Structures are given as structure tokens and as C-alpha cells.
Amino acid sequence: MAVERLLKDEATEEKGDRARMASFIGAMAIADLVKTTLGPKGMDKILQSTGRGHNVTVTNDGATILKSLHIDNPAAKVLVDISKVQDDEVGDGTTSVVVLAGELLREAEKLTMAKIHPMTIIAGYRMAAECSRNALLQKAMDNKQDPEKFKSDLMKIAMTTLSSKILSQDKEYFAQLAVDAVMRLKGSTNLEAIQIIKKAGGSLKDSFLDEGFILDKKIGIGQPKRIENAKILVANTAMDTDKVKIYGARVRVDSMARVAQIEGAEKEKMKEKVQKIIGHGINCFVNRQLIYNYPEELFADAGILAIEHADFDGIERLALVTGGEIASTFDNPESVKLGHCKLIEEIMIGEDKLIHFSGVEMGQACTIVLRGASSHMLDEAERSLHDALCVLSQTVNDSRVLLGGGWPEMVMAKEVDELARRTPGKRSHAIEAFSRALQSIPTIIADNAGLDSAELISQLRAEHHKETTNSGIDVISGGVGDMEKLGISESFKVKQAVLLSATEAAEMILRVDEIITCAPRKREDRM
Amino acid sequence: MALAFDEYGRPFIILKEQEQKSRLRGLDAQKANISAGRAVARILRTSLGPKGMDKMLQSPDGDVVITNDGATILEQMDVDNQIAKLMVELSRSQDYEIGDGTTGVVVMAGALLEQAEKLLERGIHPIRVAEGYEVASRIAVDHLERIARKFDFSEANIEPLVQTCMTTLSSKIVNRCKRALAEIAVKAVLAVADLERKDVNLDLIKVEGKVGGKLEDTELIYGIVVDKDMSHPQMPKRIEDAKIAILTCPFEPPKPKTKHKVDIDTVEKFQTLREQEQKYFDDMVQQCKDVGATLVICQWGFDDEANHLLMHRNLPAVRWVGGVELELIAIATGGRIVPRFQELTPEKLGRAGLVREKSFGTTKDRMLYIEQCANSKAVTIFIRGGNKMMIEETKRSLHDALCVARNLIRNNSIVYGGGSAEISCSIAVEAAADRYPGVEQYAIRSFADALDSIPLALAENSGLQPIDTLAAVKSQQVKENNPYCGIDCNDVGTTDMQEQNVFETLIGKQQQILLATQVVKMILKIDDVIAPSEY
């Protein structure tokens, strides 16, 4: 008698080898998708959204690409997830982590074909990952003590990160920009203090770092355009009709005259509020919410610069930068902390007027103004810069540095190979496979640059067999070069995160021997 | 058939619209039910043991869950068959009762059903089979009691507890750092345990996860972690010796439940109303300040003005804290949850040595740590991991470990794992079977065979020759009269589970056998399945 249907209609079940196959293929497809973006000569992808307007994004950032994909394969979703986490945690290496996980699975597939149990493979991978991590730990350099050298390390890392992005043309310039911005943070990883403003027009080279704070707002009409020694009150309060908050209140009148009276009272109330604000002895008032015409007029009369409708981030940042507090009540002017800055003025970037606060108290914050030919370009530039900033801020905390250009992978591969030789049993196959997967990263970098990868990798391996070597792939000259001289560095933290999360993800997918997909939830037909 | 004829030969209908219902009767019904139950068990069979595999489940909304926890797999599986649903229930009740062994119980039930099918084919009545199983399960449970060991632990010596938790964790994906996690679980349970009454309230252990970092960073915090930050960005991020006011009323003007209207018809009224409103906020903040609170934790939101006033008076506050978390905070800090501002008194404030905000990664993720609480009876396990699925799976695994530790505190008897208990029971049941006259004897013997299926599955999943291994271990048990021989899943080289330190709790094992038998009995008693067919 046939087994009755166990699961609901449309639900599917894949078992054993078929399940494994499905997840391998899904994961490898994702890895192959982003593979071509790896390395300095990696290519970009165009993403077109299905939403209204079919917005187009051009990017080379792994996390951005994967985030925008609609994926059905559950194993592929695991990879997308690790890439997202990598982005949140360290900001860079989003492509590498997916590619490495994909390569690990590709090797694992070969091993399962040779009838090695997935659990054995996992055991081997774990040993190999531990061994590679130790290898990295040994080789990592720490220049924290020497500020000069540390700064040059940061510079190198920034340049290496940027070289695979759209900003590679001016990488030196932007690397300097990013390093300066991060150094101002003085060790905090709070990237909110770095504001990035994008303005179309001009060329990438026209981008600049501003030490003050720029607010993308206009100054009200009839108000001063330039204030020296500004006292700023940052507020979050309703400056429109200020409705009564007591529940159920409503105005009920029986004649037109009464309406006028109430209106008068309302106006009076607003005027009082404005008076109180002015009473703080300020000459600049920034509000998160709208400022209506009437209060604006009052402010203008008092010679106060009023800026309305700054977004919440802007307000927080402004409060942070100027050292004031965000106020919502104005009854005790003596105890409200006001913000200060030396100069507020309106500046023009391209065609837009912006408000520039310079000479602020807290030197931590700064603004990077990006200029570029098109909005796509600017978006991509912002993402690249974000990556660089993330990596730098993480490096400031964990100052260990590695060389780049496939050097760490080769170092790890060598150690792992050695481990494989020492390990008895079937696990050694898995360990060897791990080393092959590691080596595939420089291979892909070389392939993407149109170089003869087979030749290069074998040269590199021979080079790495010597005791100490700094060789990696020099994509520019197309040969094996000394990474230290070329100034190609990577952050230890990023590499470690790539290694660990890729192994973890591969392990997770390998352990699966059955995929059960539930019937998709029925959606109401909206048409 | 459900169609009957009266004395004149006219048909009359017993079941309404019977042509639209599918119906199975008698042996067919039983066989169909058994095969459905076995199908469920077959899915879980490969997840058993330290070398068991995981299942990947895609929910109707497309979210992916990877797990090897039996209860979770079955819950997510979207099962349609009624008997299969019974199996799901079975696993769930094991989860509620014991928390661990959810896979084993289903595999056990599947094996019992498989044996029952053979008996039915030989013409034994299902009720006799059910009775035989009942007898056998009692024998097995009694036998477990006999081979169980008491083991001693105290707050100073937690090693045995850690070992047991490690057995539980070794079958999960987190087995990479099972030692660390087992220690965390045991410490957490001991922190909240009431050793006098031998009771543990697991609600006091909060398991919180955040993506990022690595599994090794998972930590136990003697306090509460809340996934919230201060309501105003400029409030202090670190408060020492905090006195906490725990409120369930919003910092907003009151909203009476009765319908009412406030009519404004004169300018004076408008102004008084305004003043009233301002006074409200002022009073609220003042009341908190007056009782000496240095931190306000509120279940509801704040009005902008109130928020600023709080910040202004240097009173840090947290808003939108969930009800469960609020309760935990109240327990941990020894405070009372206050529903109205008027009822705030200094005695009702909770106390904590340190409250701090911690940020993670490059994004704006912040968590609030409340530590060094007055009453340290509430702890938080904070899990880090490479991705969301990993964290979810770690949460489930830790839950199992916590349950195991709790069960041990309730009842410190253990049996040895690795299938040794099942093999030993199987031998005992087999021996007892011959003493029963009547047909039940066959059922009891089948029960013994069914018990073998767990070590068989263990051996199979570990890549050993199942039948060879089982036979060897069984003969060893009989020969050496040592009920602690089991399957050597990790290839250590010895079959003695005492040496391998593989324990399971006695009540967990007993419960598994009892629950599985109960469900099988229920399934066997069904002889008619009537289901409305789909249109």
C-alpha cells in the first residue's frame, strides 16, 4: 500500500544525495555569480529593480548584489545571509566570504562523490580552519605602537580596499580622505559621525572632506546668511500649530468672533514659545520638525537663523558635533545646553546651497562631500567609501594587519597542506580540499585580471615554499610581486571573519541531508 | 460499506454525503496509519546521534531554518496527514516535558509501529498488541530505574552536569564549542535554580542572540540584556548603582477609557488646557525623580516633550520594553512593576550595580546590559554567531541543554547514553517476554526489537555496520553483565559509556518510552478513518 501524502500539496521534499546536490548547486551558483567581481580587476554588475521605475544600480559590492537578488534555493540564502552579516560586522570582504564558501562546497562535492561522509569532511574543515587561523595570527603584524607606521598601514588598507571599486582611479586621494575621517573618530567605531553627502556634478576628484558639519538645508528667507560665534539650539518640537495633546479635546465655538479669538490665542501661544526659544540667547535654531511661516517670520525678526526639517540623523549628529542637547521644552533656558560653533554660513556645492557649520567643539565628526558625474556613480562611490571606512574603523580597534593580493590565502594554504600531511585518516582529504579552496581565491583574482592563473599560482606556491616571503599577485604588472613593497595590505579582522564565517556556512550546508520546502503561502490576488 | 438497506431493499444513507468522503476501514486503516507514522519517523531517523545530519526547512514565507532538533523539524514541516500530526504532537510533548530527546521519541514510536505492522499481518488483534506494548513499556521503565545511577553534584562540583549537557550538545551543529556552551548552560541553570526545592524556573533564563562575531564569543551575563537603547541619544550610556523605576504607563497625557470630550470655547480655557498639559509632563518626571530613580524603564512610548524633560533632569530612560523583558528586569532588580505614576515609592524601585549600553559592529546595533542586580536570579545567555540560522540553531540547542540540566537538578538519576540504555532494556524485555502466557508475549518481544532500533539508527548514522555493531554490543552486555555498553559513535575505541562520559537523564529516557508507547497504542486503536475528500 502506497504511503499516503504526508505533507501538504505543493510542499516538496528532497532527500539524501539529491538534497545535498540541490544545496551544492544553489550555493555554487551564487558564488559563481559574484566571483567575477573579486579583485582589483573585478567587473561590476547592473541590477535592475522590479519595483516602479526599474531603478538601476551599478555595483561591485558583494553584499549589495546579493541583497537585491530574489533567491529560491535555501542553501543560496545561507550564503546571502553570511554576506550580509559580513557587511554589518566588518563592512568589507562580502564577496570573498561568499566565494570562499562556494569553493569549499565545490571541493566538498568532489569528496562526497568519492564517498566520503559529510561529517568527516566537516571534521577536516574544522581542523583546517583552526590551523589557518593560527597561521594568520602568527603572520599578522601589529604597528599600533608606531603611529607613523600605523597610519601608513591604514593608508595601504584603504587603498587596497578601494582598488577593487569604482574609486580606484583616485584611490590615493580617497584613501587619504577615508583615513583622515577615521582618524578623527579617535578609536570609536561609530560611523554615524561621518556624514556622506552626495551631490551630482563635477568629477570624483572634486570630492572633499570637510572638518565641520554640513547640513543639506536652506536658510529661511530674510534670515542672516552668515553667523559668527553661533549659539545653536537644537530642538525637536512642533513649530506648526502645536496641537493640544490631551485626548478628546476639541474646539467648539458658536460664533465667528470666537474662532478669531481662539486663533489669536493659538498665535499667542506660538509667539510665546518662540519668545522662550529666543530667550535662550541663541542666534541659530535648528528644528527636526517643520517650522511654519509665522514662527519663521518671528525668528527672522529676531535675527535668528532658523533651519527646519532636518532629518533625525542630522539632528543627532548636529547635537553631537556642536555639543548641545536636543531640546523639546523651553521653560528653563538657563539649564539647556546650547551648541556652539565658530561660523555658520551658506555654501554652494554645484548648484545647491548647503549650510556649513565650521569650528565646532567636538572634532570627531566630519562630512565627506562626494561629487560625481551621475547618481549611479555617486551611489557606488558611497558604497565603496563606506566599505573603506568600515574596514579602517575596525582596523583602528584591532590593529593587526596582513598583506594582500592573495598572500594570506597562500600562507594559510601552505600551513593547511602541512597539516594534511600530518593527519592520518580520511580527514586529510578534506583538509587538502580546504587548502585547494583557499588557493582558488588568488586564482580567481588572477583570472579576473585576465592573467594566466595556472602559471601564476604555481609560481606563487613555489615562492611561498621559502621561509619568509611577501609575494602575492601583482595584478597591475601581471606577475608575482612583493606585496610589502607594493603596499597592498588587508585588515586581519576582515580576513579572519571571512575565514570563519565561510567555514561555518559551508559546514552548515554540508550537514543537511534533507530539504523540506513548505507550500508557499497563498497570496491574495490583488489584481 | 456505509450504505445499508432497509427491509424493503431501499438504500438509506448513514453518513452524510458519503460519496464525498474517503474512508478507510479495518486493517487497511491501520496499515495506512502505520505507514504514515513510519514515514515521519524515517525523516527524523538520520538526525539521531552525534553524527546525525541536519534538515533544511523552507517555511511558507521563504525563510530558511536549518536544524537537527526533532521538535523543530516536525513543527516546521507543514504536515497534512492526521497520523503524522499525532507524531508531531508526540515530539512536542516530549519537548515541553523534558526538552530533549525529541528525535529519539519519534524514532522509537516509528519502530514500534513497524513492529506492530508485522504482528497485525500475522493476525494478532491490535488491542492485544497495544496491551503487550503497555506491559513491555512498564518492564522497560522499571529496568531503567534499576540501571540508573545517582550522581552527585554541588555548586562547587558542576563537572557531572557539564558532561551531561555536552552529550546533548554533541549532536548539534554547535558541537565545535560544546564544552563552553555546556558550561554556560549549567552555570545559568545553577544561577536560577532553587536547590532546596529542586526546582528551576527556566523563564528566568533569557536567551538572546545577535548576529556577528563568532560562536566562541557567546557569554553568560548575570543580569538582563535588552535589545533597546536609551530613548534620547544624549542620555548617559553608563549608570552605576542604578535605581530603576519600572513603569507600565506611558509618558503621555492620560487617555481615559470612557468616551469624553473636552470642549474649548473660550481663550481662557484654551490657555488653561495648555498649562495643564505641560504640568502633566512635569509632574510625571518629577514623581520619578522624587522617589530617587536614576533609570526609568517603560513599556510604552514617550512624548517628545517628556523625553526631553527626562533628559533634562538627567534621568535616563528606556522605552518600548516588552512585557516579558519588563518582568525579568523586575525579578532581577527586585523592583516592582508600577502601573501608575502616583504609586511610585522608593521601595518599589529596582536596583542594579551597573547599567550600560554596548554597540556592535558597523551598524547601529545597541544593547542595554543590566548587570550586578540585587537579585541575581535572572541571567541572560547572549549568543553570537556567523549568521541568523546559526544563532537560531544555537538557541534551540542551548534550550535542550538547559532543560537537561534542569531535569538533573530535579532528579539526579542518570542512565548512560549511546544506545546502551535501550540495548539493556531490550535484553530485559526480551527475557521477561517468555514468562507471559498468551498472545501478548509476541507483542512484548516485538517491543524489545523496537528498542533495538535506536542503537541501530545511531550506528547507521555514525557510518558503522549497524547490525554487526549492535550484535557485538548486545553480546558484550550479556557476557559482561554490564548495562553500560553502547554504540561508539565518535570512534573513541571503547564501547563503555561510563568511560566515554555519555549520560542522559533517567526521566528523559523513561518519558521517551512511555510517550512513544502511548501514541502507538492510540494509533493502533484506530480502525476507521473518515476524511472529507477535497472538492
Side-chain angles (χ1 to χ4, degrees):
Chain A
M1 161 148 213
V3 177
E4 276 192 48
R5 280 197 67 85
L6 207 57
L7 302 162
K8 288 214 173 106
D9 292 344
E10 288 180 65
T12 55
E13 195 186 345
E14 308 258 2
K15 286 191 161 195
D17 279 344
R18 279 195 54 181
R20 210 164 285 133
M21 196 66 79
S23 45
F24 283 156
I25 290 174
M28 280 188 297
I30 290 292
D32 286 343
L33 183 79
V34 291
K35 201 159 110 177
T36 51
T37 62
L38 200 70
K41 293 276 168 78
M43 304 300 273
D44 290 3
K45 308 262 176 233
I46 286 189
L47 307 166
Q48 191 170 25
S49 77
T50 48
R52 192 178 300 166
H54 295 277
N55 292 327
V56 172
T57 315
V58 183
T59 183
N60 145 325
D61 182 43
T64 314
I65 298 173
L66 293 177
K67 246 186 273 178
S68 348
L69 293 177
H70 295 288
I71 294 169
D72 206 32
N73 186 303
K77 280 190 184 149
V78 176
L79 288 197
V80 174
D81 199 49
I82 54 168
S83 153
K84 217 180 319 174
V85 172
Q86 178 84 3
D87 195 28
D88 289 348
E89 267 301 286
V90 283
D92 193 29
T94 51
T95 314
S96 320
V97 68
V98 175
V99 172
L100 184 58
E103 288 302 324
L104 284 174
L105 287 173
R106 196 191 302 277
E107 293 296 334
E109 191 192 8
K110 285 183 206 153
L111 292 177
T112 48
M113 294 277 197
K115 295 277 177 251
I116 292 182
H117 195 267
M119 286 294 168
T120 319
I121 304 180
I122 290 173
Y125 276 8
R126 271 189 192 162
M127 286 171 70
E130 193 55 41
C131 162
S132 353
R133 190 162 156 250
N134 290 338
L136 280 189
L137 271 174
Q138 272 173 18
K139 297 275 180 173
M141 291 162 282
D142 194 346
N143 287 330
K144 189 104 190 172
Q145 270 68 42
D146 186 352
E148 269 308 302
K149 241 185 145 177
F150 182 53
K151 201 162 175 200
S152 84
D153 271 351
L154 284 185
M155 191 70 196
K156 280 184 204 158
I157 290 174
M159 270 164 58
T160 314
T161 304
L162 290 174
S163 65
S164 61
K165 313 279 171 169
I166 202 166
L167 300 175
S168 61
Q169 296 302 314
D170 311 299
K171 63 179 175 190
E172 217 155 306
Y173 182 73
F174 280 100
Q176 190 64 49
L177 212 79
V179 171
D180 284 348
V182 170
M183 290 306 264
R184 289 175 70 87
L185 289 177
K186 299 190 182 72
S188 102
T189 51
N190 187 3
L191 290 179
E192 284 163 56
I194 300 176
Q195 188 193 14
I196 299 181
I197 290 181
K198 296 174 284 185
K199 285 283 164 210
S203 74
L204 279 175
K205 259 253 153 61
D206 295 336
S207 311
F208 61 91
L209 174 82
D210 195 281
E211 308 210 333
F213 182 80
I214 293 177
L215 203 58
D216 193 356
K217 288 284 164 240
K218 289 193 184 62
I219 293 177
I221 302 153
Q223 292 168 348
K225 298 274 184 249
R226 182 187 159 89
I227 299 176
E228 281 181 48
N229 279 331
K231 292 196 206 70
I232 308 160
L233 179 67
V234 186
N236 175 17
T237 182
M239 291 300 276
D240 42 7
T241 42
D242 207 4
K243 60 179 181 291
V244 180
K245 281 171 188 158
I246 291 171
Y247 185 70
R250 64 168 189 176
V251 179
R252 192 191 192 120
V253 287
D254 41 20
S255 72
M256 284 304 280
R258 287 281 170 78
V259 178
Q261 276 175 5
I262 300 272
E263 203 194 334
E266 234 169 37
K267 247 185 173 167
E268 193 60 32
K269 182 179 168 191
M270 184 47 66
K271 195 170 176 184
E272 229 170 80
K273 192 166 183 180
V274 173
Q275 282 309 328
K276 273 188 202 158
I277 292 172
I278 295 171
H280 285 69
I282 53 165
N283 46 20
C284 174
F285 175 70
V286 185
N287 191 14
R288 186 171 86 87
Q289 298 174 26
L290 284 175
I291 302 177
Y292 269 38
N293 289 351
Y294 179 64
E296 189 173 329
E297 190 189 314
L298 292 175
F299 281 124
D301 284 348
I304 289 175
L305 174 62
I307 303 165
E308 64 164 10
H309 209 205
D311 51 67
F312 200 80
D313 279 352
I315 281 284
E316 270 186 32
R317 218 176 274 142
L318 189 62
L320 190 77
V321 171
T322 57
E325 67 183 41
I326 302 175
S328 294
T329 55
F330 309 99
D331 291 324
N332 349 320
E334 55 297 328
S335 60
V336 173
K337 253 170 72 191
L338 297 178
H340 292 279
C341 79
K342 292 245 165 54
L343 180 68
I344 300 176
E345 60 181 343
E346 201 174 52
I347 53 167
M348 301 267 293
I349 298 178
E351 281 194 336
D352 294 317
K353 286 179 189 160
L354 303 168
I355 304 168
H356 182 218
F357 297 77
S358 56
V360 289
E361 264 180 10
M362 305 249 281
Q364 285 195 5
C366 53
T367 306
I368 294 175
V369 180
L370 284 179
R371 309 296 314 276
S374 70
S375 64
H376 299 146
M377 183 105 161
L378 283 172
D379 286 346
E380 177 64 1
E382 188 193 356
R383 275 191 292 272
S384 316
L385 203 58
H386 172 258
D387 278 6
L389 290 173
C390 287
V391 175
L392 289 178
S393 68
Q394 294 294 330
T395 317
V396 171
N397 280 349
D398 183 346
S399 58
R400 283 170 290 181
V401 173
L402 295 167
L403 296 177
W407 178 83
E409 282 83 7
M410 293 311 285
V411 168
M412 289 191 273
K414 188 185 159 205
E415 287 294 321
V416 172
D417 264 338
E418 223 132 272
L419 176 74
R421 251 172 267 154
R422 285 198 307 270
T423 313
K426 278 187 275 190
R427 271 178 302 190
S428 66
H429 291 289
I431 300 174
E432 259 171 35
F434 195 92
S435 137
R436 273 200 298 278
L438 283 172
Q439 284 175 26
S440 66
I441 295 232
T443 316
I444 294 168
I445 295 180
D447 276 339
N448 284 347
L451 304 171
D452 182 356
S453 62
E455 170 73 19
L456 270 178
I457 298 303
S458 51
Q459 275 186 27
L460 202 57
R461 203 165 46 219
E463 200 66 35
H464 270 267
H465 220 69
K466 295 173 196 157
E467 262 318 294
T468 48
T469 178
N470 294 330
S471 1
I473 295 180
D474 181 359
V475 175
I476 313 300
S477 74
V480 171
D482 187 333
M483 289 295 123
E484 184 146 34
K485 278 198 200 112
L486 288 167
I488 297 176
S489 296
E490 280 179 78
S491 154
F492 170 75
K493 204 168 172 191
V494 172
K495 267 277 124 69
Q496 176 183 291
V498 166
L499 182 73
L500 293 181
S501 13
T503 322
E504 218 166 68
E507 191 180 306
M508 210 157 179
I509 293 172
L510 268 173
R511 280 177 68 103
V512 172
D513 77 333
E514 183 151 344
I515 303 177
I516 298 168
T517 315
C518 295
R521 200 181 292 286
K522 293 270 184 305
R523 292 214 165 70
E524 295 293 312
D525 212 352
R526 291 205 192 100
M527 296 305 282
Chain B
M1 279 289 114
L3 199 67
F5 297 92
D6 61 8
E7 63 261 46
Y8 304 110
R10 281 180 306 213
F12 65 88
I13 289 164
I14 300 171
L15 280 168
K16 210 175 148 199
E17 293 167 39
Q18 55 180 296
E19 69 278 8
Q20 287 182 22
K21 293 185 168 68
S22 63
R23 188 165 177 204
L24 281 173
R25 300 184 65 186
L27 211 54
D28 278 348
Q30 267 141 359
K31 284 201 180 152
N33 291 343
I34 288 175
S35 72
R38 281 175 54 197
V40 174
R42 207 165 43 234
I43 290 176
L44 288 192
R45 199 179 149 91
T46 51
S47 288
L48 200 70
K51 294 277 166 76
M53 305 292 278
D54 289 4
K55 306 276 175 262
M56 192 183 262
L57 301 147
Q58 197 166 18
S59 79
D61 299 321
D63 298 330
V64 179
V65 177
I66 298 182
T67 181
N68 105 1
D69 182 49
T72 316
I73 298 174
L74 290 179
E75 224 154 275
Q76 299 271 337
M77 235 168 50
D78 206 3
V79 173
D80 207 22
N81 187 297
Q82 299 304 316
I83 300 300
K85 276 185 188 159
L86 274 180
M87 301 290 267
V88 175
E89 284 289 318
L90 166 69
S91 162
R92 198 178 297 158
S93 56
Q94 172 84 7
D95 194 26
Y96 286 155
E97 266 300 296
I98 306 295
D100 187 34
T102 50
T103 316
V105 69
V106 175
V107 174
M108 180 76 209
L112 284 175
L113 286 173
E114 193 178 334
Q115 295 295 335
E117 194 176 8
K118 285 186 198 150
L119 293 174
L120 291 180
E121 264 170 23
R122 292 166 77 176
I124 298 177
H125 194 271
I127 300 292
R128 305 300 286 272
V129 178
E131 275 166 11
Y133 277 2
E134 179 69 34
V135 173
S137 71
R138 245 175 301 151
I139 301 172
V141 168
D142 290 344
H143 181 72
L144 279 178
E145 199 93 48
R146 266 197 304 284
I147 61 168
R149 289 271 183 97
K150 293 264 174 205
F151 81 149
D152 294 320
F153 63 89
S154 59
E155 267 177 81
N157 175 22
I158 58 168
E159 189 57 29
L161 285 177
V162 173
Q163 290 287 352
T164 320
C165 287
M166 271 165 69
T167 310
T168 303
L169 290 175
S170 62
S171 64
K172 315 282 176 185
I173 195 169
V174 295
N175 61 7
R176 182 155 46 102
C177 42
K178 60 180 174 187
R179 172 90 215 173
L181 287 179
E183 271 173 22
I184 287 177
V186 172
K187 279 183 193 154
V189 169
L190 281 178
V192 301
D194 187 344
L195 288 176
E196 308 259 295
R197 281 197 305 124
K198 293 203 167 182
D199 194 19
V200 184
N201 184 0
L202 283 188
D203 290 341
L204 296 178
I205 302 176
K206 187 167 178 253
V207 181
E208 186 75 49
K210 194 110 204 157
V211 178
K214 49 185 188 291
L215 206 54
E216 283 82 356
D217 298 339
T218 302
E219 54 183 341
L220 174 70
I221 294 149
Y222 290 95
I224 308 286
V225 177
V226 190
D227 193 359
K228 290 275 176 299
D229 55 357
M230 296 292 182
S231 62
H232 196 287
Q234 284 161 314
M235 285 176 179
K237 308 281 182 231
R238 189 186 166 89
I239 307 154
E240 278 170 34
D241 285 324
K243 297 199 185 81
I244 305 169
I246 304 160
L247 297 170
T248 52
C249 44
F251 273 85
E252 273 163 16
K255 287 180 184 156
K257 296 212 173 62
T258 42
K259 223 171 171 187
H260 71 291
K261 284 193 185 87
V262 183
D263 282 344
I264 305 168
D265 47 10
T266 60
V267 175
E268 289 75 43
K269 277 192 183 167
F270 182 77
Q271 272 161 353
T272 22
L273 199 64
R274 210 182 93 214
E275 275 159 27
Q276 276 289 325
E277 188 188 295
Q278 277 175 344
K279 208 164 148 321
Y280 262 131
F281 291 127
D282 223 41
D283 284 350
M284 286 176 193
V285 179
Q286 198 54 44
Q287 267 161 352
C288 296
K289 199 80 190 163
D290 281 345
V291 293
T294 54
L295 174 69
V296 178
I297 289 178
C298 184
Q299 197 175 8
W300 299 99
F302 300 164
D303 193 89
D304 280 344
E305 281 181 42
N307 202 0
H308 175 246
L309 276 174
L310 283 169
M311 144 80 190
H312 197 79
R313 302 270 175 86
N314 201 10
L315 192 58
V318 188
R319 60 181 153 184
W320 299 123
V321 178
V324 183
E325 287 167 338
L326 208 66
E327 260 173 47
L328 275 177
I329 293 172
I331 294 170
T333 59
R336 293 268 294 278
I337 297 177
V338 181
R340 260 187 291 271
F341 286 99
Q342 289 78 10
E343 289 172 14
L344 265 176
T345 53
E347 304 85 64
K348 286 183 181 167
L349 297 181
R351 269 156 221 280
L354 180 65
V355 178
R356 64 193 165 101
E357 202 180 86
K358 194 173 169 189
S359 55
F360 296 98
T362 60
T363 44
K364 251 169 81 173
D365 272 343
R366 296 204 191 92
M367 308 274 271
L368 201 67
Y369 282 59
I370 302 173
E371 289 171 300
Q372 299 165 20
C373 302
N375 170 8
S376 65
K377 281 262 167 193
V379 294
T380 306
I381 298 176
F382 189 57
I383 302 171
R384 309 298 314 274
N387 54 50
K388 206 170 68 212
M389 293 152 218
M390 189 81 190
I391 296 219
E392 291 302 315
E393 179 65 3
T394 312
K395 268 190 195 173
R396 284 189 288 269
S397 312
L398 263 178
H399 168 255
D400 284 6
L402 291 173
C403 290
V404 168
R406 176 196 59 182
N407 295 340
L408 278 176
I409 287 176
R410 280 194 188 154
N411 179 352
N412 64 351
S413 307
I414 50 149
V415 290
Y416 287 89
S420 66
E422 282 87 356
I423 298 174
S424 174
C425 283
S426 159
I427 295 170
V429 172
E430 182 87 52
D434 298 338
R435 285 201 294 280
Y436 279 82
V439 189
E440 283 89 352
Q441 196 187 87
Y442 284 89
I444 297 173
R445 219 171 270 144
S446 301
F447 191 92
D449 286 343
L451 277 170
D452 282 346
S453 69
I454 289 201
L456 272 179
L458 273 178
E460 200 177 316
N461 291 345
S462 313
L464 304 167
Q465 287 292 333
I467 298 176
D468 283 0
T469 321
L470 179 64
V473 173
K474 215 170 186 176
S475 73
Q476 198 185 356
Q477 281 213 3
V478 176
K479 229 183 284 166
E480 298 173 13
N481 198 12
N482 174 5
Y484 309 123
C485 294
I487 307 287
D488 178 19
C489 298
N490 288 324
D491 215 13
V492 181
T494 166
T495 54
D496 194 338
M497 291 297 132
Q498 265 176 310
E499 272 173 53
Q500 287 206 15
N501 279 329
V502 181
F503 312 125
E504 279 175 79
T505 55
L506 171 68
I507 33 177
K509 257 288 111 70
Q510 285 179 332
Q511 200 63 235
Q512 261 187 8
I513 291 176
L514 289 177
L515 282 175
T517 316
Q518 259 177 41
V519 167
V520 169
K521 268 169 60 191
M522 187 150 79
I523 294 176
L524 282 176
K525 279 188 180 165
I526 301 170
D527 77 335
D528 199 344
V529 181
I530 304 170
S533 64
E534 305 199 2
Y535 315 98

